[in-house]
Amino acid sequence: MGANLGDRQGALRAALAAMDRLPGTRVQRVSALYASAPVDAGGPDYLNAVAELATTLPPLPLLQALQALELDAGRERPYRNAPRTLDLDILWFGDESIGTPELTVPHPRIMERAFVLRPLSDLAPHRVTAAALEAVALQAIRMLEGSGWADRQSGLDAPEK
């Protein structure tokens, strides 16, 4: 998940709360919050995080629900890699491989982007190798806050300790 226009952190928190309200869907965990420059695009820095969802929705209906959340957040698609108020992607869907015109899972550019790999490694270190992190080491990215950023004002309950 990412945003580089408007209230970026607010948009990500609102998206987490909205995803948690999708039918049969719960946000399980959220990575730390990262800032990074746009890749292959212009505009302000992005805020990025990765959320782990548990859902009974099939992959395509989940994608459609996420795209509806993007639209609700004011997402426009005037051109490829345009700045955006909200970007929600499906990185993995369990162990499924999906290759349709609408959806490719695993996401085809995971291994090319530090803004995906760093937060993903917070939640699923077994999916991110040291070699993958080294391959994107020159892409500037910095952690802004630990995973607790998502608990404030998102509507998600903080996990019990």
Side-chain angles (χ1 to χ4, degrees):
M1 54 191 306
N4 76 331
L5 294 176
D7 177 7
R8 301 167 303 164
Q9 198 168 125
L12 296 179
R13 283 190 185 116
L16 286 168
M19 287 187 290
D20 203 53
R21 291 189 303 267
L22 292 175
T25 303
R26 288 314 249 178
V27 174
Q28 300 294 300
R29 298 185 299 152
V30 181
S31 73
L33 184 66
Y34 292 85
S36 64
V39 174
D40 299 330
D45 282 357
Y46 274 88
L47 294 187
N48 293 100
V50 169
E52 178 184 337
L53 305 180
T55 187
T56 58
L57 291 173
L60 194 52
L62 176 62
L63 176 65
Q64 292 163 343
L66 296 177
Q67 289 173 338
L69 295 179
E70 291 175 341
L71 286 174
D72 288 347
R75 168 88 186 254
E76 296 178 359
R77 297 175 188 264
Y79 55 90
R80 183 172 165 80
N81 296 328
R84 51 204 72 169
T85 54
L86 183 63
D87 185 31
L88 301 172
D89 291 325
I90 299 173
L91 303 178
W92 266 281
F93 197 90
D95 291 325
E96 289 188 42
S97 290
I98 303 166
T100 68
E102 299 86 11
L103 179 61
T104 302
V105 172
H107 192 285
R109 291 177 297 284
I110 288 174
M111 296 303 168
E112 300 170 10
R113 298 180 169 168
F115 67 82
V116 175
L117 289 175
R118 288 278 305 275
L120 180 60
S121 69
D122 290 348
L123 298 186
H126 62 283
R127 293 206 186 255
V128 182
T129 65
L133 288 171
E134 181 63 29
V136 297
L138 296 179
Q139 295 177 23
I141 184 169
R142 65 190 185 285
M143 183 190 297
L144 297 179
E145 294 187 52
S147 61
W149 72 270
D151 299 331
R152 292 187 308 281
Q153 301 170 353
S154 69
L156 295 176
D157 295 326
E160 293 185 22
K161 305 238 186 254

